[in-house]
Amino acid sequence: MPSMELTRRGKVLMLVPIYLFTGAYLLKNPFMALTGAGLLALLLHSRIYLDRVSSKVDVDPSIAQDTLYVGEGVKVSYMVGSERPLNISLEPSDDLENREDVRFEQTLNSKAIFESTLYPTSSGRAEVGGLKGTLSDPMGLYKVQFDHQSPIDMVVYPSKDAIRYAKTYAHRVHLEELVKDMMSFTVSSGELEEIREYHPGDRWRDIHWRSVSKLGNYMTKEYEKMALLECTVFLDMSPSMRRGKKKMDHINFLTLELLKELELSGHDIGMTVYDHRKVLFHQKPEQRRATFTRIYRALSDLPDPKEPAPYNSPRYREDITIENLKDAERQFVERVSTIRYGSPSAGLGGLVEAVKEVKRGVHKRSLVMIITDMETNPEITIKSVEKLKNMNHTVWVIIPFSPWYDLEHIDEDVLEMTYKDYIRLEKISKILYRAGAKVFEMYPGKEGLRILEEGR
Amino acid sequence: MNRQPGVHIMGTLLLFVLFSLTRDWLMTIITGTALLTVSIGAHIDDNTISLPGLILVSFLLPYSIGSIALDELYPILFYTFVVIVPIILYWGIVLSDSFFTDKFSLALSVSYFVLIPIIFYSLLIFSSMREYLLDPVNQGPQAMVISGCAVLLFIIYYLKPTKT
């Protein structure tokens, strides 16, 4: 029972008996004392009235059963009931902000229903249905501060726009954009073609210093572009990549789309599927129609997806730094650099085997695309990138999933964890970038998004 | 529920009681003005106007009726039911639409009007001050004892509100 206190009106009425008693004594008038006693009785009446009635007030918010999204209004109705008439002055108290100023003031008779529209402003867990205000007796002499604790825990999802925005965050690359520009699949052959003016973004090492000293302007060397002949896709099929059917479908879609585009533009395509233990499928780059069919069959024959696990532990390690890679380097040197075919490298991951395959089969410079989520053996991936770079290959690391895409069961803790994971992934991406790989964090295109959102 | 007719009727009744008890035109006009203020306040639904009027009425009415001698049980009961109960009702009606709805608290406040005379007269009996206190000359001590009874009751009730 919250404490009762006198309202302003009650305080005035409290003073009146005191003055009446004083007046009764000074004016020798016992009737004034009697009147004062009567007014005290009035105060007492109000007090006991409220004391008996306030505990019977109850609030039942009935919230629309739809999902709550940031920015979308939700109607909440509060039911305040009491057995006796009360003056109430209430306002909703929620974690959510009310866009409109709602304040209910009226005399309550047995039951009243108030409605207000809530507009969540931030995602996460929110408590809905709180009411705060004062109840007072019909005369308004006593009041009780009323604070109904929020009975309903609601999960507010980020607004659809926000999710979309997060997924299309500036430097993430859409698959369609990636394969649109076929020139991006070329590397310089090293043959000087022409000397042109320097544009911001050109490499410093390409500046033709002799022309600079002659002309006074920055000039840069333009090399002949040459199409890559061989493109290999390294497809990670570790348990983390197989988490959920939707994820698998999306990976399939992405890989197929990528390979199809590469094949159509006349490159040799190959694919190596590996998991955390061994290589599952290997097709070395070839320019034959049968290759794509074989790859297509292999993609439809991938390991079964696992049950999507709840997001209850961080998925990326925090201690991955360049210094910590020395251990992985040592292992790598032991197992890979000494080219001993068939040497057991189990436990180090299928990627090592895949790198070995590349080393064995592809002698020309090629484009290697590693499709991985960087969750399993990130050090090995980083090291592999380094090794492949040393072998003069162009390496792209395509991360099809940022942790944002696992946002199915949104909790405040999970959101927090997702965010932290995302930061860790950014860190790992940075290391990858330093190792010489081009890192693409993909977001699903229209088709991929449809796959991911199916059944949601 | 519309409180305005109740306020007007109760005000008229109080004015009538006052005049019939005192036959004092001046005090009747002054109190009537205060009652009119309360009525106007109730009419335009503004309690900031009616509250000063109410307080003024609460002071003026017992002051005017103070000429009655309190020398028996009869005047105190008479005064209670003819003046104080209407004043309380008047307060209640002016300040709220629905006032006496809780029977228990109503009974407790009514117990005030019953208990004060009982305590007052039992004090007279047991303290052998009956002649002194019932002398119309000693109205000061009378007022003090009645106030004491009221405050005593109020403190008892206030500190131990009965819960069911």
PDB file of all heavy atoms in Angstrom, chain A residues 115-144:
ATOM      1  N   GLU A 115      -7.269   4.322 -23.463  1.00  0.00           N
ATOM      2  CA  GLU A 115      -6.470   3.831 -24.580  1.00  0.00           C
ATOM      3  C   GLU A 115      -5.418   4.865 -24.946  1.00  0.00           C
ATOM      4  O   GLU A 115      -5.674   6.062 -24.906  1.00  0.00           O
ATOM      5  CB  GLU A 115      -7.349   3.564 -25.794  1.00  0.00           C
ATOM      6  CG  GLU A 115      -8.016   2.214 -25.710  1.00  0.00           C
ATOM      7  CD  GLU A 115      -8.620   1.793 -27.020  1.00  0.00           C
ATOM      8  OE1 GLU A 115      -8.718   2.642 -27.912  1.00  0.00           O
ATOM      9  OE2 GLU A 115      -8.985   0.617 -27.133  1.00  0.00           O
ATOM     10  N   SER A 116      -4.257   4.371 -25.257  1.00  0.00           N
ATOM     11  CA  SER A 116      -3.231   5.283 -25.752  1.00  0.00           C
ATOM     12  C   SER A 116      -2.409   4.541 -26.786  1.00  0.00           C
ATOM     13  O   SER A 116      -2.383   3.326 -26.823  1.00  0.00           O
ATOM     14  CB  SER A 116      -2.349   5.778 -24.622  1.00  0.00           C
ATOM     15  OG  SER A 116      -1.454   4.772 -24.253  1.00  0.00           O
ATOM     16  N   THR A 117      -1.758   5.289 -27.615  1.00  0.00           N
ATOM     17  CA  THR A 117      -0.921   4.679 -28.647  1.00  0.00           C
ATOM     18  C   THR A 117       0.532   4.894 -28.284  1.00  0.00           C
ATOM     19  O   THR A 117       0.940   6.003 -27.974  1.00  0.00           O
ATOM     20  CB  THR A 117      -1.217   5.322 -30.007  1.00  0.00           C
ATOM     21  OG1 THR A 117      -2.624   5.384 -30.158  1.00  0.00           O
ATOM     22  CG2 THR A 117      -0.622   4.492 -31.112  1.00  0.00           C
ATOM     23  N   LEU A 118       1.278   3.805 -28.282  1.00  0.00           N
ATOM     24  CA  LEU A 118       2.690   3.875 -27.927  1.00  0.00           C
ATOM     25  C   LEU A 118       3.538   3.787 -29.181  1.00  0.00           C
ATOM     26  O   LEU A 118       3.210   3.062 -30.108  1.00  0.00           O
ATOM     27  CB  LEU A 118       3.052   2.711 -27.014  1.00  0.00           C
ATOM     28  CG  LEU A 118       2.304   2.633 -25.708  1.00  0.00           C
ATOM     29  CD1 LEU A 118       2.634   1.348 -25.002  1.00  0.00           C
ATOM     30  CD2 LEU A 118       2.666   3.800 -24.827  1.00  0.00           C
ATOM     31  N   TYR A 119       4.610   4.527 -29.130  1.00  0.00           N
ATOM     32  CA  TYR A 119       5.534   4.481 -30.262  1.00  0.00           C
ATOM     33  C   TYR A 119       6.910   4.103 -29.744  1.00  0.00           C
ATOM     34  O   TYR A 119       7.602   4.941 -29.167  1.00  0.00           O
ATOM     35  CB  TYR A 119       5.597   5.837 -30.962  1.00  0.00           C
ATOM     36  CG  TYR A 119       4.309   6.228 -31.610  1.00  0.00           C
ATOM     37  CD1 TYR A 119       3.372   6.993 -30.938  1.00  0.00           C
ATOM     38  CD2 TYR A 119       4.027   5.813 -32.897  1.00  0.00           C
ATOM     39  CE1 TYR A 119       2.175   7.336 -31.525  1.00  0.00           C
ATOM     40  CE2 TYR A 119       2.839   6.153 -33.491  1.00  0.00           C
ATOM     41  CZ  TYR A 119       1.917   6.911 -32.810  1.00  0.00           C
ATOM     42  OH  TYR A 119       0.743   7.245 -33.397  1.00  0.00           O
ATOM     43  N   PRO A 120       7.303   2.862 -29.894  1.00  0.00           N
ATOM     44  CA  PRO A 120       8.632   2.474 -29.435  1.00  0.00           C
ATOM     45  C   PRO A 120       9.694   3.228 -30.220  1.00  0.00           C
ATOM     46  O   PRO A 120       9.570   3.391 -31.429  1.00  0.00           O
ATOM     47  CB  PRO A 120       8.707   0.977 -29.764  1.00  0.00           C
ATOM     48  CG  PRO A 120       7.335   0.557 -30.087  1.00  0.00           C
ATOM     49  CD  PRO A 120       6.586   1.758 -30.537  1.00  0.00           C
ATOM     50  N   THR A 121      10.726   3.694 -29.491  1.00  0.00           N
ATOM     51  CA  THR A 121      11.764   4.457 -30.179  1.00  0.00           C
ATOM     52  C   THR A 121      13.071   3.696 -30.277  1.00  0.00           C
ATOM     53  O   THR A 121      13.929   4.075 -31.052  1.00  0.00           O
ATOM     54  CB  THR A 121      12.033   5.782 -29.456  1.00  0.00           C
ATOM     55  OG1 THR A 121      12.224   5.488 -28.083  1.00  0.00           O
ATOM     56  CG2 THR A 121      10.898   6.739 -29.642  1.00  0.00           C
ATOM     57  N   SER A 122      13.223   2.643 -29.466  1.00  0.00           N
ATOM     58  CA  SER A 122      14.460   1.888 -29.590  1.00  0.00           C
ATOM     59  C   SER A 122      14.137   0.414 -29.456  1.00  0.00           C
ATOM     60  O   SER A 122      13.185   0.037 -28.784  1.00  0.00           O
ATOM     61  CB  SER A 122      15.457   2.313 -28.520  1.00  0.00           C
ATOM     62  OG  SER A 122      14.951   2.014 -27.260  1.00  0.00           O
ATOM     63  N   SER A 123      14.941  -0.393 -30.075  1.00  0.00           N
ATOM     64  CA  SER A 123      14.670  -1.814 -30.061  1.00  0.00           C
ATOM     65  C   SER A 123      15.197  -2.418 -28.769  1.00  0.00           C
ATOM     66  O   SER A 123      15.912  -1.795 -28.015  1.00  0.00           O
ATOM     67  CB  SER A 123      15.325  -2.466 -31.256  1.00  0.00           C
ATOM     68  OG  SER A 123      16.700  -2.191 -31.234  1.00  0.00           O
ATOM     69  N   GLY A 124      14.814  -3.650 -28.543  1.00  0.00           N
ATOM     70  CA  GLY A 124      15.231  -4.335 -27.338  1.00  0.00           C
ATOM     71  C   GLY A 124      14.027  -4.707 -26.513  1.00  0.00           C
ATOM     72  O   GLY A 124      12.909  -4.758 -26.999  1.00  0.00           O
ATOM     73  N   ARG A 125      14.302  -4.967 -25.251  1.00  0.00           N
ATOM     74  CA  ARG A 125      13.194  -5.358 -24.386  1.00  0.00           C
ATOM     75  C   ARG A 125      12.553  -4.106 -23.813  1.00  0.00           C
ATOM     76  O   ARG A 125      13.232  -3.174 -23.414  1.00  0.00           O
ATOM     77  CB  ARG A 125      13.724  -6.242 -23.273  1.00  0.00           C
ATOM     78  CG  ARG A 125      12.658  -6.655 -22.308  1.00  0.00           C
ATOM     79  CD  ARG A 125      13.159  -7.783 -21.457  1.00  0.00           C
ATOM     80  NE  ARG A 125      13.170  -9.026 -22.194  1.00  0.00           N
ATOM     81  CZ  ARG A 125      13.812 -10.106 -21.779  1.00  0.00           C
ATOM     82  NH1 ARG A 125      14.495 -10.075 -20.676  1.00  0.00           N
ATOM     83  NH2 ARG A 125      13.762 -11.210 -22.480  1.00  0.00           N
ATOM     84  N   ALA A 126      11.260  -4.086 -23.777  1.00  0.00           N
ATOM     85  CA  ALA A 126      10.560  -2.934 -23.232  1.00  0.00           C
ATOM     86  C   ALA A 126       9.408  -3.413 -22.369  1.00  0.00           C
ATOM     87  O   ALA A 126       8.817  -4.457 -22.632  1.00  0.00           O
ATOM     88  CB  ALA A 126      10.034  -2.049 -24.349  1.00  0.00           C
ATOM     89  N   GLU A 127       9.166  -2.651 -21.340  1.00  0.00           N
ATOM     90  CA  GLU A 127       8.050  -2.998 -20.480  1.00  0.00           C
ATOM     91  C   GLU A 127       6.893  -2.089 -20.828  1.00  0.00           C
ATOM     92  O   GLU A 127       7.025  -0.882 -20.910  1.00  0.00           O
ATOM     93  CB  GLU A 127       8.450  -2.842 -19.021  1.00  0.00           C
ATOM     94  CG  GLU A 127       9.458  -3.877 -18.612  1.00  0.00           C
ATOM     95  CD  GLU A 127       9.662  -3.917 -17.121  1.00  0.00           C
ATOM     96  OE1 GLU A 127       9.490  -2.857 -16.495  1.00  0.00           O
ATOM     97  OE2 GLU A 127       9.971  -4.991 -16.590  1.00  0.00           O
ATOM     98  N   VAL A 128       5.766  -2.710 -21.003  1.00  0.00           N
ATOM     99  CA  VAL A 128       4.605  -1.986 -21.506  1.00  0.00           C
ATOM    100  C   VAL A 128       3.469  -2.167 -20.519  1.00  0.00           C
ATOM    101  O   VAL A 128       3.318  -3.228 -19.922  1.00  0.00           O
ATOM    102  CB  VAL A 128       4.203  -2.540 -22.890  1.00  0.00           C
ATOM    103  CG1 VAL A 128       2.901  -1.947 -23.337  1.00  0.00           C
ATOM    104  CG2 VAL A 128       5.278  -2.250 -23.892  1.00  0.00           C
ATOM    105  N   GLY A 129       2.699  -1.134 -20.365  1.00  0.00           N
ATOM    106  CA  GLY A 129       1.491  -1.283 -19.568  1.00  0.00           C
ATOM    107  C   GLY A 129       1.578  -0.668 -18.193  1.00  0.00           C
ATOM    108  O   GLY A 129       0.744  -0.929 -17.344  1.00  0.00           O
ATOM    109  N   GLY A 130       2.601   0.139 -17.961  1.00  0.00           N
ATOM    110  CA  GLY A 130       2.699   0.791 -16.672  1.00  0.00           C
ATOM    111  C   GLY A 130       1.771   1.988 -16.593  1.00  0.00           C
ATOM    112  O   GLY A 130       1.494   2.637 -17.590  1.00  0.00           O
ATOM    113  N   LEU A 131       1.276   2.236 -15.401  1.00  0.00           N
ATOM    114  CA  LEU A 131       0.443   3.412 -15.188  1.00  0.00           C
ATOM    115  C   LEU A 131       0.960   4.113 -13.960  1.00  0.00           C
ATOM    116  O   LEU A 131       1.344   3.489 -12.989  1.00  0.00           O
ATOM    117  CB  LEU A 131      -1.005   3.008 -14.952  1.00  0.00           C
ATOM    118  CG  LEU A 131      -1.959   3.003 -16.143  1.00  0.00           C
ATOM    119  CD1 LEU A 131      -3.350   2.746 -15.655  1.00  0.00           C
ATOM    120  CD2 LEU A 131      -1.907   4.304 -16.891  1.00  0.00           C
ATOM    121  N   LYS A 132       0.956   5.432 -14.038  1.00  0.00           N
ATOM    122  CA  LYS A 132       1.512   6.192 -12.933  1.00  0.00           C
ATOM    123  C   LYS A 132       0.606   7.388 -12.735  1.00  0.00           C
ATOM    124  O   LYS A 132       0.087   7.946 -13.694  1.00  0.00           O
ATOM    125  CB  LYS A 132       2.914   6.623 -13.328  1.00  0.00           C
ATOM    126  CG  LYS A 132       3.697   7.363 -12.316  1.00  0.00           C
ATOM    127  CD  LYS A 132       5.148   7.395 -12.740  1.00  0.00           C
ATOM    128  CE  LYS A 132       5.415   8.465 -13.768  1.00  0.00           C
ATOM    129  NZ  LYS A 132       6.844   8.637 -14.050  1.00  0.00           N
ATOM    130  N   GLY A 133       0.391   7.763 -11.506  1.00  0.00           N
ATOM    131  CA  GLY A 133      -0.448   8.915 -11.287  1.00  0.00           C
ATOM    132  C   GLY A 133      -0.964   8.934  -9.869  1.00  0.00           C
ATOM    133  O   GLY A 133      -0.369   8.361  -8.964  1.00  0.00           O
ATOM    134  N   THR A 134      -2.057   9.639  -9.689  1.00  0.00           N
ATOM    135  CA  THR A 134      -2.599   9.744  -8.346  1.00  0.00           C
ATOM    136  C   THR A 134      -4.049   9.314  -8.339  1.00  0.00           C
ATOM    137  O   THR A 134      -4.794   9.543  -9.285  1.00  0.00           O
ATOM    138  CB  THR A 134      -2.519  11.190  -7.830  1.00  0.00           C
ATOM    139  OG1 THR A 134      -3.101  12.042  -8.809  1.00  0.00           O
ATOM    140  CG2 THR A 134      -1.097  11.602  -7.586  1.00  0.00           C
ATOM    141  N   LEU A 135      -4.423   8.692  -7.230  1.00  0.00           N
ATOM    142  CA  LEU A 135      -5.826   8.389  -6.969  1.00  0.00           C
ATOM    143  C   LEU A 135      -6.225   9.239  -5.780  1.00  0.00           C
ATOM    144  O   LEU A 135      -5.474   9.357  -4.827  1.00  0.00           O
ATOM    145  CB  LEU A 135      -5.999   6.921  -6.589  1.00  0.00           C
ATOM    146  CG  LEU A 135      -5.530   5.867  -7.570  1.00  0.00           C
ATOM    147  CD1 LEU A 135      -5.623   4.514  -6.912  1.00  0.00           C
ATOM    148  CD2 LEU A 135      -6.404   5.904  -8.782  1.00  0.00           C
ATOM    149  N   SER A 136      -7.385   9.822  -5.848  1.00  0.00           N
ATOM    150  CA  SER A 136      -7.825  10.562  -4.674  1.00  0.00           C
ATOM    151  C   SER A 136      -9.287  10.252  -4.401  1.00  0.00           C
ATOM    152  O   SER A 136     -10.020   9.816  -5.283  1.00  0.00           O
ATOM    153  CB  SER A 136      -7.602  12.061  -4.865  1.00  0.00           C
ATOM    154  OG  SER A 136      -8.232  12.490  -6.036  1.00  0.00           O
ATOM    155  N   ASP A 137      -9.676  10.500  -3.164  1.00  0.00           N
ATOM    156  CA  ASP A 137     -11.060  10.222  -2.776  1.00  0.00           C
ATOM    157  C   ASP A 137     -11.971  11.231  -3.463  1.00  0.00           C
ATOM    158  O   ASP A 137     -11.499  12.216  -4.039  1.00  0.00           O
ATOM    159  CB  ASP A 137     -11.182  10.307  -1.256  1.00  0.00           C
ATOM    160  CG  ASP A 137     -10.875  11.687  -0.760  1.00  0.00           C
ATOM    161  OD1 ASP A 137      -9.801  12.223  -1.149  1.00  0.00           O
ATOM    162  OD2 ASP A 137     -11.679  12.258  -0.026  1.00  0.00           O
ATOM    163  N   PRO A 138     -13.270  11.014  -3.439  1.00  0.00           N
ATOM    164  CA  PRO A 138     -14.163  11.911  -4.171  1.00  0.00           C
ATOM    165  C   PRO A 138     -14.008  13.379  -3.794  1.00  0.00           C
ATOM    166  O   PRO A 138     -14.198  14.256  -4.626  1.00  0.00           O
ATOM    167  CB  PRO A 138     -15.546  11.399  -3.795  1.00  0.00           C
ATOM    168  CG  PRO A 138     -15.350   9.988  -3.463  1.00  0.00           C
ATOM    169  CD  PRO A 138     -13.994   9.870  -2.886  1.00  0.00           C
ATOM    170  N   MET A 139     -13.624  13.648  -2.547  1.00  0.00           N
ATOM    171  CA  MET A 139     -13.490  15.050  -2.147  1.00  0.00           C
ATOM    172  C   MET A 139     -12.110  15.606  -2.468  1.00  0.00           C
ATOM    173  O   MET A 139     -11.894  16.815  -2.363  1.00  0.00           O
ATOM    174  CB  MET A 139     -13.750  15.198  -0.656  1.00  0.00           C
ATOM    175  CG  MET A 139     -15.209  14.986  -0.312  1.00  0.00           C
ATOM    176  SD  MET A 139     -15.501  15.281   1.403  1.00  0.00           S
ATOM    177  CE  MET A 139     -15.135  16.990   1.503  1.00  0.00           C
ATOM    178  N   GLY A 140     -11.202  14.752  -2.807  1.00  0.00           N
ATOM    179  CA  GLY A 140      -9.865  15.208  -3.166  1.00  0.00           C
ATOM    180  C   GLY A 140      -9.067  15.715  -1.984  1.00  0.00           C
ATOM    181  O   GLY A 140      -8.279  16.647  -2.123  1.00  0.00           O
ATOM    182  N   LEU A 141      -9.277  15.136  -0.824  1.00  0.00           N
ATOM    183  CA  LEU A 141      -8.536  15.591   0.358  1.00  0.00           C
ATOM    184  C   LEU A 141      -7.258  14.782   0.553  1.00  0.00           C
ATOM    185  O   LEU A 141      -6.242  15.311   0.963  1.00  0.00           O
ATOM    186  CB  LEU A 141      -9.404  15.480   1.612  1.00  0.00           C
ATOM    187  CG  LEU A 141     -10.695  16.289   1.581  1.00  0.00           C
ATOM    188  CD1 LEU A 141     -11.455  16.122   2.872  1.00  0.00           C
ATOM    189  CD2 LEU A 141     -10.411  17.751   1.333  1.00  0.00           C
ATOM    190  N   TYR A 142      -7.351  13.501   0.256  1.00  0.00           N
ATOM    191  CA  TYR A 142      -6.169  12.643   0.352  1.00  0.00           C
ATOM    192  C   TYR A 142      -5.858  12.094  -1.015  1.00  0.00           C
ATOM    193  O   TYR A 142      -6.759  11.896  -1.840  1.00  0.00           O
ATOM    194  CB  TYR A 142      -6.419  11.476   1.304  1.00  0.00           C
ATOM    195  CG  TYR A 142      -6.177  11.814   2.742  1.00  0.00           C
ATOM    196  CD1 TYR A 142      -7.214  12.189   3.573  1.00  0.00           C
ATOM    197  CD2 TYR A 142      -4.897  11.752   3.269  1.00  0.00           C
ATOM    198  CE1 TYR A 142      -6.993  12.510   4.887  1.00  0.00           C
ATOM    199  CE2 TYR A 142      -4.665  12.063   4.587  1.00  0.00           C
ATOM    200  CZ  TYR A 142      -5.715  12.440   5.392  1.00  0.00           C
ATOM    201  OH  TYR A 142      -5.480  12.756   6.687  1.00  0.00           O
ATOM    202  N   LYS A 143      -4.598  11.826  -1.237  1.00  0.00           N
ATOM    203  CA  LYS A 143      -4.245  11.204  -2.520  1.00  0.00           C
ATOM    204  C   LYS A 143      -3.232  10.095  -2.281  1.00  0.00           C
ATOM    205  O   LYS A 143      -2.507  10.086  -1.278  1.00  0.00           O
ATOM    206  CB  LYS A 143      -3.683  12.244  -3.484  1.00  0.00           C
ATOM    207  CG  LYS A 143      -2.364  12.826  -3.039  1.00  0.00           C
ATOM    208  CD  LYS A 143      -1.841  13.809  -4.055  1.00  0.00           C
ATOM    209  CE  LYS A 143      -0.588  14.485  -3.527  1.00  0.00           C
ATOM    210  NZ  LYS A 143      -0.163  15.608  -4.293  1.00  0.00           N
ATOM    211  N   VAL A 144      -3.227   9.189  -3.200  1.00  0.00           N
ATOM    212  CA  VAL A 144      -2.268   8.095  -3.148  1.00  0.00           C
ATOM    213  C   VAL A 144      -1.486   8.119  -4.439  1.00  0.00           C
ATOM    214  O   VAL A 144      -2.061   8.162  -5.523  1.00  0.00           O
ATOM    215  CB  VAL A 144      -2.991   6.734  -3.013  1.00  0.00           C
ATOM    216  CG1 VAL A 144      -1.997   5.611  -3.157  1.00  0.00           C
ATOM    217  CG2 VAL A 144      -3.694   6.635  -1.701  1.00  0.00           C
TER     218      VAL A 144
END
